[in-house]
Amino acid sequence: MIGGAPVVALQGRDLPAAGPAFTAAEVAPGRGFLLLRAALRLSSGQTVDGVVGPPPAQAAQMLDGGPEDFAGNRAFSFGGAILAPYANRIRGREVAGARQIEVEIDNRVVRLPSNWGGKAPGAAQYAMHGLILDAPTAWEQPSPDRALGRLDAGDFGGRWLSQAEMDFEWRLQGGALILTVSARNIGAEPLPLGLGWHPYFALPSGQRAQARLRLPAASRVEVDDYDQVLPTGRLLSTAGSAYDFTAQQGRPLGALYLDDCFTNLAHEDGRVVVELIDPAAGLGLRVTSPTPQVKAVQVYAPLDQTFVAIEPQFNLADPFGAVWPAGTDTGMARLPPGARLAYEVRVEPFEVRNPANF
């Protein structure tokens, strides 16, 4: 049990006969329909972690609701948390005596949990990754390879504008891992909405430096530092820089630390396409989203780890921040009363047959 609900186990049923494929996954309905982990079959037949996460018993200990898990923090430390009604960071005015900040959104002031921030003395503390990280969701499993969830979010506990209901679906289909999120505004005013997903993809070889990232983004968000990781309001061109991952075969991560928000994304057949390639393991992961509102991809790749978090999301970091020049589209959707919006991400593994070519 996690968050008062059982863990839901998914099993792929229509797997390809050979080649890499996602074969199984575990979902926690008690924590915002979080993907705990996903198993991946390599071309060799070996099964490894595809999305990194602990076994359910260990996950339950981590997701204990204690001080370190305030507002569901630990939900985005592994697996793949769903982020809503905003992704990434939001800064605001600290509320004295409370772990909260005040933020002005569409001429209204809301209070959000101050659940993250820099570690240096005096560093800013802010709201991080939405308001459903610890939300219990109703659920059903109509088939072994599918899980459905429903969250009557309302105004997210008095912390957001309008009223929302959300539906979730996890699928294992043809060796792919697929997430669909649908949000509907059931309130009487526009619903600001920024959806995202926070998966930690494993590098089975354990060799980070040779892993390659392909991300067709023309810009990245400049940040003040990699402690607070807050935007300065400037978009920097990626062309010709160490952050240029637009080449067809991507670019090795090397010794480049990443906790960066990429934007001005190119589309392929109407989709955002990002690839993570582990030549030494003969494996690639293709992360695609057909959702037009996906304006940004946050990439987190620390130097001392063998995972890469690739986060397709609607909004840039701190989307309501005063640092952004007037007229900047920071990616937040505005859903009219009665309207519905869907978000989809698909992860397809593929075989890298000639690693020496990279």
Side-chain angles (χ1 to χ4, degrees), residues 45-103:
Q46 179 187 7
T47 297
V48 299
D49 282 337
V51 176
V52 182
Q58 184 180 345
Q61 293 177 350
M62 296 174 66
L63 303 174
D64 60 2
E68 296 301 316
D69 192 32
F70 171 67
N73 272 0
R74 284 183 170 164
F76 60 83
S77 65
F78 59 85
I82 299 170
L83 314 179
Y86 55 87
N88 221 305
R89 298 146 174 83
I90 293 182
R91 67 181 129 191
R93 298 178 296 274
E94 292 189 26
V95 178
R99 294 183 69 178
Q100 295 181 331
I101 57 170
E102 288 187 338
V103 183

Tab-separated table of all heavy atoms in Angstrom, residues 45-103:
chain	number	residue	atom	x	y	z
A	45	GLY	N	17.627	-9.946	-24.318
A	45	GLY	CA	16.681	-10.709	-23.528
A	45	GLY	C	16.732	-10.379	-22.056
A	45	GLY	O	15.837	-10.757	-21.292
A	46	GLN	N	17.772	-9.677	-21.612
A	46	GLN	CA	17.900	-9.281	-20.211
A	46	GLN	C	16.841	-8.236	-19.866
A	46	GLN	O	16.538	-7.349	-20.668
A	46	GLN	CB	19.295	-8.710	-19.954
A	46	GLN	CG	19.527	-8.245	-18.519
A	46	GLN	CD	20.861	-7.526	-18.353
A	46	GLN	OE1	21.558	-7.262	-19.342
A	46	GLN	NE2	21.219	-7.215	-17.121
A	47	THR	N	16.270	-8.319	-18.677
A	47	THR	CA	15.306	-7.326	-18.206
A	47	THR	C	15.982	-6.404	-17.197
A	47	THR	O	16.622	-6.875	-16.242
A	47	THR	CB	14.086	-8.004	-17.564
A	47	THR	OG1	13.411	-8.797	-18.553
A	47	THR	CG2	13.107	-6.960	-17.036
A	48	VAL	N	15.839	-5.102	-17.417
A	48	VAL	CA	16.465	-4.092	-16.564
A	48	VAL	C	15.431	-3.032	-16.229
A	48	VAL	O	14.314	-3.026	-16.755
A	48	VAL	CB	17.675	-3.440	-17.289
A	48	VAL	CG1	18.743	-4.470	-17.615
A	48	VAL	CG2	17.220	-2.715	-18.564
A	49	ASP	N	15.812	-2.106	-15.352
A	49	ASP	CA	14.974	-0.933	-15.105
A	49	ASP	C	14.995	-0.041	-16.341
A	49	ASP	O	16.070	0.322	-16.830
A	49	ASP	CB	15.484	-0.137	-13.908
A	49	ASP	CG	15.113	-0.757	-12.583
A	49	ASP	OD1	14.132	-1.518	-12.535
A	49	ASP	OD2	15.811	-0.490	-11.585
A	50	GLY	N	13.830	0.323	-16.833
A	50	GLY	CA	13.735	1.315	-17.897
A	50	GLY	C	13.439	2.684	-17.315
A	50	GLY	O	14.030	3.688	-17.699
A	51	VAL	N	12.487	2.729	-16.368
A	51	VAL	CA	12.221	3.905	-15.555
A	51	VAL	C	12.615	3.544	-14.136
A	51	VAL	O	12.114	2.577	-13.558
A	51	VAL	CB	10.740	4.319	-15.633
A	51	VAL	CG1	10.470	5.496	-14.708
A	51	VAL	CG2	10.356	4.674	-17.072
A	52	VAL	N	13.540	4.299	-13.562
A	52	VAL	CA	14.193	3.928	-12.305
A	52	VAL	C	13.271	4.160	-11.122
A	52	VAL	O	12.724	5.253	-10.948
A	52	VAL	CB	15.477	4.756	-12.108
A	52	VAL	CG1	16.189	4.346	-10.828
A	52	VAL	CG2	16.400	4.606	-13.306
A	53	GLY	N	13.112	3.122	-10.305
A	53	GLY	CA	12.336	3.264	-9.092
A	53	GLY	C	12.558	2.094	-8.166
A	53	GLY	O	12.967	1.017	-8.599
A	54	PRO	N	12.269	2.256	-6.868
A	54	PRO	CA	12.463	1.174	-5.910
A	54	PRO	C	11.281	0.211	-5.920
A	54	PRO	O	10.206	0.542	-6.427
A	54	PRO	CB	12.547	1.919	-4.571
A	54	PRO	CG	11.660	3.111	-4.783
A	54	PRO	CD	11.820	3.499	-6.229
A	55	PRO	N	11.448	-0.975	-5.342
A	55	PRO	CA	10.306	-1.873	-5.152
A	55	PRO	C	9.233	-1.191	-4.297
A	55	PRO	O	9.530	-0.269	-3.526
A	55	PRO	CB	10.921	-3.080	-4.432
A	55	PRO	CG	12.378	-2.992	-4.700
A	55	PRO	CD	12.699	-1.536	-4.830
A	56	PRO	N	7.976	-1.650	-4.404
A	56	PRO	CA	6.892	-0.976	-3.685
A	56	PRO	C	7.120	-0.824	-2.183
A	56	PRO	O	6.780	0.219	-1.615
A	56	PRO	CB	5.681	-1.869	-3.985
A	56	PRO	CG	5.972	-2.452	-5.326
A	56	PRO	CD	7.457	-2.677	-5.334
A	57	ALA	N	7.680	-1.843	-1.532
A	57	ALA	CA	7.882	-1.739	-0.079
A	57	ALA	C	8.831	-0.596	0.265
A	57	ALA	O	8.598	0.172	1.209
A	57	ALA	CB	8.415	-3.061	0.473
A	58	GLN	N	9.905	-0.469	-0.494
A	58	GLN	CA	10.848	0.621	-0.252
A	58	GLN	C	10.234	1.962	-0.635
A	58	GLN	O	10.439	2.977	0.046
A	58	GLN	CB	12.132	0.386	-1.048
A	58	GLN	CG	13.213	1.425	-0.786
A	58	GLN	CD	14.468	1.160	-1.588
A	58	GLN	OE1	14.657	0.072	-2.139
A	58	GLN	NE2	15.332	2.154	-1.671
A	59	ALA	N	9.472	1.987	-1.726
A	59	ALA	CA	8.801	3.226	-2.131
A	59	ALA	C	7.835	3.695	-1.057
A	59	ALA	O	7.733	4.901	-0.772
A	59	ALA	CB	8.071	3.006	-3.446
A	60	ALA	N	7.132	2.758	-0.420
A	60	ALA	CA	6.192	3.120	0.640
A	60	ALA	C	6.908	3.780	1.808
A	60	ALA	O	6.386	4.726	2.422
A	60	ALA	CB	5.435	1.878	1.105
A	61	GLN	N	8.116	3.310	2.126
A	61	GLN	CA	8.890	3.928	3.202
A	61	GLN	C	9.327	5.337	2.825
A	61	GLN	O	9.364	6.238	3.672
A	61	GLN	CB	10.106	3.071	3.528
A	61	GLN	CG	9.771	1.728	4.148
A	61	GLN	CD	10.992	0.865	4.388
A	61	GLN	OE1	12.095	1.176	3.933
A	61	GLN	NE2	10.821	-0.233	5.107
A	62	MET	N	9.675	5.547	1.551
A	62	MET	CA	10.113	6.863	1.103
A	62	MET	C	8.944	7.848	1.037
A	62	MET	O	9.073	9.014	1.400
A	62	MET	CB	10.775	6.754	-0.266
A	62	MET	CG	12.050	5.935	-0.282
A	62	MET	SD	12.702	5.702	-1.943
A	62	MET	CE	13.151	7.392	-2.381
A	63	LEU	N	7.798	7.345	0.578
A	63	LEU	CA	6.615	8.197	0.421
A	63	LEU	C	5.778	8.124	1.697
A	63	LEU	O	4.603	7.731	1.688
A	63	LEU	CB	5.803	7.742	-0.790
A	63	LEU	CG	6.546	7.722	-2.128
A	63	LEU	CD1	5.683	7.115	-3.222
A	63	LEU	CD2	6.973	9.126	-2.527
A	64	ASP	N	6.387	8.538	2.797
A	64	ASP	CA	5.773	8.344	4.105
A	64	ASP	C	5.040	9.572	4.620
A	64	ASP	O	4.481	9.543	5.720
A	64	ASP	CB	6.829	7.908	5.115
A	64	ASP	CG	7.947	8.945	5.288
A	64	ASP	OD1	7.889	10.016	4.647
A	64	ASP	OD2	8.887	8.672	6.070
A	65	GLY	N	5.050	10.666	3.859
A	65	GLY	CA	4.372	11.865	4.305
A	65	GLY	C	5.109	12.644	5.373
A	65	GLY	O	4.570	13.612	5.924
A	66	GLY	N	6.353	12.241	5.698
A	66	GLY	CA	7.127	12.933	6.719
A	66	GLY	C	7.682	14.258	6.237
A	66	GLY	O	7.369	14.718	5.124
A	67	PRO	N	8.526	14.904	7.061
A	67	PRO	CA	9.039	16.239	6.721
A	67	PRO	C	9.734	16.305	5.359
A	67	PRO	O	9.587	17.286	4.637
A	67	PRO	CB	10.019	16.538	7.856
A	67	PRO	CG	9.524	15.728	9.003
A	67	PRO	CD	8.972	14.476	8.401
A	68	GLU	N	10.484	15.266	5.014
A	68	GLU	CA	11.177	15.278	3.725
A	68	GLU	C	10.239	15.031	2.554
A	68	GLU	O	10.603	15.235	1.399
A	68	GLU	CB	12.294	14.226	3.730
A	68	GLU	CG	13.398	14.487	4.736
A	68	GLU	CD	14.076	15.828	4.500
A	68	GLU	OE1	14.354	16.142	3.333
A	68	GLU	OE2	14.300	16.558	5.481
A	69	ASP	N	9.027	14.576	2.873
A	69	ASP	CA	8.031	14.272	1.851
A	69	ASP	C	6.927	15.328	1.833
A	69	ASP	O	5.830	15.090	1.346
A	69	ASP	CB	7.443	12.878	2.109
A	69	ASP	CG	6.609	12.360	0.951
A	69	ASP	OD1	6.923	12.700	-0.202
A	69	ASP	OD2	5.646	11.617	1.210
A	70	PHE	N	7.226	16.504	2.402
A	70	PHE	CA	6.247	17.590	2.481
A	70	PHE	C	5.665	17.895	1.102
A	70	PHE	O	6.400	18.041	0.127
A	70	PHE	CB	6.924	18.831	3.070
A	70	PHE	CG	6.085	20.079	3.001
A	70	PHE	CD1	4.921	20.190	3.742
A	70	PHE	CD2	6.449	21.126	2.169
A	70	PHE	CE1	4.145	21.342	3.670
A	70	PHE	CE2	5.683	22.285	2.091
A	70	PHE	CZ	4.524	22.391	2.848
A	71	ALA	N	4.336	17.962	1.027
A	71	ALA	CA	3.617	18.266	-0.214
A	71	ALA	C	3.915	17.246	-1.323
A	71	ALA	O	3.740	17.544	-2.496
A	71	ALA	CB	3.909	19.681	-0.691
A	72	GLY	N	4.390	16.074	-0.924
A	72	GLY	CA	4.642	15.018	-1.905
A	72	GLY	C	5.974	15.085	-2.597
A	72	GLY	O	6.181	14.447	-3.632
A	73	ASN	N	6.936	15.817	-2.015
A	73	ASN	CA	8.249	16.022	-2.643
A	73	ASN	C	8.887	14.761	-3.198
A	73	ASN	O	9.432	14.754	-4.300
A	73	ASN	CB	9.234	16.593	-1.610
A	73	ASN	CG	9.205	18.092	-1.554
A	73	ASN	OD1	8.461	18.717	-2.283
A	73	ASN	ND2	10.000	18.659	-0.686
A	74	ARG	N	8.862	13.709	-2.409
A	74	ARG	CA	9.607	12.522	-2.811
A	74	ARG	C	9.006	11.835	-4.027
A	74	ARG	O	9.639	10.969	-4.635
A	74	ARG	CB	9.712	11.556	-1.634
A	74	ARG	CG	10.743	11.996	-0.604
A	74	ARG	CD	10.880	10.996	0.501
A	74	ARG	NE	12.032	11.294	1.351
A	74	ARG	CZ	12.211	10.769	2.561
A	74	ARG	NH1	11.319	9.914	3.052
A	74	ARG	NH2	13.273	11.073	3.269
A	75	ALA	N	7.798	12.206	-4.385
A	75	ALA	CA	7.161	11.613	-5.563
A	75	ALA	C	7.920	11.937	-6.843
A	75	ALA	O	7.800	11.207	-7.828
A	75	ALA	CB	5.716	12.084	-5.684
A	76	PHE	N	8.692	13.037	-6.855
A	76	PHE	CA	9.445	13.345	-8.075
A	76	PHE	C	10.941	13.054	-7.912
A	76	PHE	O	11.769	13.588	-8.644
A	76	PHE	CB	9.207	14.780	-8.565
A	76	PHE	CG	9.577	15.896	-7.603
A	76	PHE	CD1	10.885	16.348	-7.517
A	76	PHE	CD2	8.611	16.507	-6.833
A	76	PHE	CE1	11.229	17.381	-6.664
A	76	PHE	CE2	8.934	17.556	-5.976
A	76	PHE	CZ	10.247	17.993	-5.897
A	77	SER	N	11.270	12.144	-6.977
A	77	SER	CA	12.674	11.757	-6.799
A	77	SER	C	12.995	10.432	-7.489
A	77	SER	O	14.148	10.006	-7.494
A	77	SER	CB	13.009	11.665	-5.312
A	77	SER	OG	12.281	10.621	-4.688
A	78	PHE	N	12.010	9.781	-8.076
A	78	PHE	CA	12.218	8.521	-8.790
A	78	PHE	C	10.979	8.262	-9.642
A	78	PHE	O	9.989	9.000	-9.588
A	78	PHE	CB	12.446	7.357	-7.814
A	78	PHE	CG	11.306	7.126	-6.851
A	78	PHE	CD1	10.211	6.348	-7.214
A	78	PHE	CD2	11.327	7.673	-5.585
A	78	PHE	CE1	9.161	6.139	-6.339
A	78	PHE	CE2	10.280	7.468	-4.698
A	78	PHE	CZ	9.194	6.694	-5.075
A	79	GLY	N	11.016	7.194	-10.425
A	79	GLY	CA	9.836	6.805	-11.189
A	79	GLY	C	9.428	7.863	-12.194
A	79	GLY	O	10.263	8.399	-12.934
A	80	GLY	N	8.144	8.178	-12.210
A	80	GLY	CA	7.626	9.178	-13.148
A	80	GLY	C	6.382	9.834	-12.610
A	80	GLY	O	5.257	9.343	-12.798
A	81	ALA	N	6.543	10.956	-11.907
A	81	ALA	CA	5.408	11.675	-11.330
A	81	ALA	C	4.680	12.479	-12.403
A	81	ALA	O	5.301	13.038	-13.313
A	81	ALA	CB	5.879	12.601	-10.217
A	82	ILE	N	3.367	12.558	-12.270
A	82	ILE	CA	2.546	13.418	-13.122
A	82	ILE	C	2.463	14.790	-12.456
A	82	ILE	O	2.210	14.885	-11.244
A	82	ILE	CB	1.148	12.814	-13.325
A	82	ILE	CG1	1.264	11.447	-14.020
A	82	ILE	CG2	0.265	13.743	-14.140
A	82	ILE	CD1	-0.027	10.657	-14.052
A	83	LEU	N	2.666	15.847	-13.237
A	83	LEU	CA	2.754	17.201	-12.698
A	83	LEU	C	1.531	18.004	-13.145
A	83	LEU	O	1.271	18.142	-14.335
A	83	LEU	CB	4.040	17.877	-13.195
A	83	LEU	CG	5.325	17.036	-13.113
A	83	LEU	CD1	6.510	17.819	-13.665
A	83	LEU	CD2	5.596	16.566	-11.695
A	84	ALA	N	0.799	18.557	-12.192
A	84	ALA	CA	-0.390	19.362	-12.489
A	84	ALA	C	-0.766	20.150	-11.222
A	84	ALA	O	-0.547	19.666	-10.114
A	84	ALA	CB	-1.563	18.462	-12.902
A	85	PRO	N	-1.345	21.329	-11.339
A	85	PRO	CA	-1.690	22.074	-12.553
A	85	PRO	C	-0.558	22.945	-13.092
A	85	PRO	O	-0.791	23.820	-13.928
A	85	PRO	CB	-2.851	22.955	-12.060
A	85	PRO	CG	-2.481	23.259	-10.630
A	85	PRO	CD	-1.832	21.997	-10.118
A	86	TYR	N	0.663	22.698	-12.607
A	86	TYR	CA	1.841	23.356	-13.174
A	86	TYR	C	3.007	22.396	-13.047
A	86	TYR	O	3.041	21.527	-12.162
A	86	TYR	CB	2.164	24.691	-12.467
A	86	TYR	CG	2.343	24.574	-10.970
A	86	TYR	CD1	3.579	24.260	-10.407
A	86	TYR	CD2	1.266	24.772	-10.113
A	86	TYR	CE1	3.736	24.150	-9.031
A	86	TYR	CE2	1.410	24.660	-8.732
A	86	TYR	CZ	2.643	24.346	-8.201
A	86	TYR	OH	2.792	24.219	-6.844
A	87	ALA	N	3.939	22.540	-13.939
A	87	ALA	CA	5.199	21.804	-13.861
A	87	ALA	C	6.299	22.793	-13.498
A	87	ALA	O	6.128	24.007	-13.600
A	87	ALA	CB	5.510	21.144	-15.210
A	88	ASN	N	7.428	22.241	-13.053
A	88	ASN	CA	8.602	23.066	-12.794
A	88	ASN	C	8.380	23.980	-11.584
A	88	ASN	O	7.539	23.712	-10.742
A	88	ASN	CB	9.006	23.852	-14.047
A	88	ASN	CG	10.503	23.891	-14.265
A	88	ASN	OD1	11.253	24.294	-13.390
A	88	ASN	ND2	10.932	23.459	-15.443
A	89	ARG	N	9.104	25.093	-11.542
A	89	ARG	CA	9.157	25.934	-10.360
A	89	ARG	C	8.236	27.146	-10.484
A	89	ARG	O	8.094	27.704	-11.566
A	89	ARG	CB	10.591	26.434	-10.141
A	89	ARG	CG	11.588	25.320	-9.899
A	89	ARG	CD	12.953	25.639	-10.471
A	89	ARG	NE	13.947	24.629	-10.115
A	89	ARG	CZ	14.115	23.473	-10.778
A	89	ARG	NH1	13.374	23.204	-11.850
A	89	ARG	NH2	15.018	22.608	-10.384
A	90	ILE	N	7.680	27.573	-9.338
A	90	ILE	CA	6.958	28.846	-9.238
A	90	ILE	C	7.465	29.556	-7.987
A	90	ILE	O	7.432	28.996	-6.889
A	90	ILE	CB	5.436	28.649	-9.149
A	90	ILE	CG1	4.891	28.080	-10.464
A	90	ILE	CG2	4.751	29.963	-8.812
A	90	ILE	CD1	3.387	27.887	-10.479
A	91	ARG	N	7.971	30.761	-8.158
A	91	ARG	CA	8.435	31.522	-6.987
A	91	ARG	C	7.384	32.550	-6.593
A	91	ARG	O	6.512	32.925	-7.383
A	91	ARG	CB	9.775	32.174	-7.249
A	91	ARG	CG	9.784	33.261	-8.276
A	91	ARG	CD	11.178	33.822	-8.475
A	91	ARG	NE	11.533	33.840	-9.883
A	91	ARG	CZ	12.757	34.074	-10.332
A	91	ARG	NH1	13.729	34.322	-9.492
A	91	ARG	NH2	13.015	34.063	-11.621
A	92	GLY	N	7.474	33.008	-5.341
A	92	GLY	CA	6.519	33.993	-4.858
A	92	GLY	C	6.998	34.599	-3.558
A	92	GLY	O	8.152	34.427	-3.146
A	93	ARG	N	6.103	35.303	-2.880
A	93	ARG	CA	6.419	35.950	-1.605
A	93	ARG	C	6.253	34.939	-0.476
A	93	ARG	O	5.185	34.323	-0.336
A	93	ARG	CB	5.491	37.144	-1.370
A	93	ARG	CG	5.615	38.242	-2.413
A	93	ARG	CD	4.639	39.371	-2.152
A	93	ARG	NE	3.256	38.915	-2.282
A	93	ARG	CZ	2.595	38.864	-3.434
A	93	ARG	NH1	3.185	39.223	-4.562
A	93	ARG	NH2	1.338	38.460	-3.474
A	94	GLU	N	7.293	34.767	0.314
A	94	GLU	CA	7.221	33.807	1.415
A	94	GLU	C	6.233	34.289	2.476
A	94	GLU	O	6.188	35.467	2.820
A	94	GLU	CB	8.601	33.599	2.025
A	94	GLU	CG	9.579	32.894	1.091
A	94	GLU	CD	10.874	32.506	1.787
A	94	GLU	OE1	10.848	32.316	3.017
A	94	GLU	OE2	11.906	32.415	1.096
A	95	VAL	N	5.439	33.353	2.980
A	95	VAL	CA	4.484	33.636	4.041
A	95	VAL	C	5.150	33.330	5.369
A	95	VAL	O	5.577	32.187	5.609
A	95	VAL	CB	3.200	32.802	3.871
A	95	VAL	CG1	2.229	33.080	5.019
A	95	VAL	CG2	2.545	33.092	2.526
A	96	ALA	N	5.246	34.320	6.231
A	96	ALA	CA	5.943	34.143	7.508
A	96	ALA	C	5.274	33.055	8.338
A	96	ALA	O	4.050	33.008	8.468
A	96	ALA	CB	5.948	35.465	8.276
A	97	GLY	N	6.119	32.163	8.887
A	97	GLY	CA	5.619	31.135	9.785
A	97	GLY	C	4.928	29.973	9.096
A	97	GLY	O	4.312	29.145	9.777
A	98	ALA	N	4.990	29.921	7.779
A	98	ALA	CA	4.330	28.823	7.052
A	98	ALA	C	5.199	28.426	5.875
A	98	ALA	O	5.909	29.258	5.311
A	98	ALA	CB	2.948	29.260	6.560
A	99	ARG	N	5.140	27.171	5.517
A	99	ARG	CA	5.881	26.724	4.334
A	99	ARG	C	5.021	26.981	3.099
A	99	ARG	O	4.588	26.071	2.409
A	99	ARG	CB	6.250	25.249	4.469
A	99	ARG	CG	7.242	24.968	5.580
A	99	ARG	CD	7.636	23.509	5.625
A	99	ARG	NE	8.446	23.114	4.466
A	99	ARG	CZ	8.953	21.890	4.295
A	99	ARG	NH1	8.707	20.939	5.201
A	99	ARG	NH2	9.670	21.605	3.228
A	100	GLN	N	4.779	28.260	2.866
A	100	GLN	CA	3.924	28.675	1.754
A	100	GLN	C	4.491	29.921	1.097
A	100	GLN	O	5.247	30.692	1.714
A	100	GLN	CB	2.502	28.982	2.239
A	100	GLN	CG	1.743	27.783	2.781
A	100	GLN	CD	0.344	28.178	3.223
A	100	GLN	OE1	0.096	29.306	3.616
A	100	GLN	NE2	-0.568	27.226	3.168
A	101	ILE	N	4.103	30.112	-0.164
A	101	ILE	CA	4.386	31.363	-0.855
A	101	ILE	C	3.085	31.902	-1.423
A	101	ILE	O	2.135	31.144	-1.679
A	101	ILE	CB	5.414	31.182	-1.999
A	101	ILE	CG1	4.925	30.131	-3.012
A	101	ILE	CG2	6.778	30.816	-1.448
A	101	ILE	CD1	5.747	30.063	-4.280
A	102	GLU	N	3.041	33.206	-1.604
A	102	GLU	CA	1.899	33.854	-2.260
A	102	GLU	C	2.301	34.222	-3.680
A	102	GLU	O	3.370	34.788	-3.913
A	102	GLU	CB	1.466	35.101	-1.497
A	102	GLU	CG	0.784	34.790	-0.182
A	102	GLU	CD	0.217	36.023	0.490
A	102	GLU	OE1	0.694	37.138	0.176
A	102	GLU	OE2	-0.692	35.884	1.326
A	103	VAL	N	1.439	33.889	-4.626
A	103	VAL	CA	1.705	34.121	-6.043
A	103	VAL	C	0.481	34.759	-6.672
A	103	VAL	O	-0.657	34.337	-6.408
A	103	VAL	CB	2.015	32.798	-6.778
A	103	VAL	CG1	2.367	33.062	-8.232
A	103	VAL	CG2	3.133	32.039	-6.077
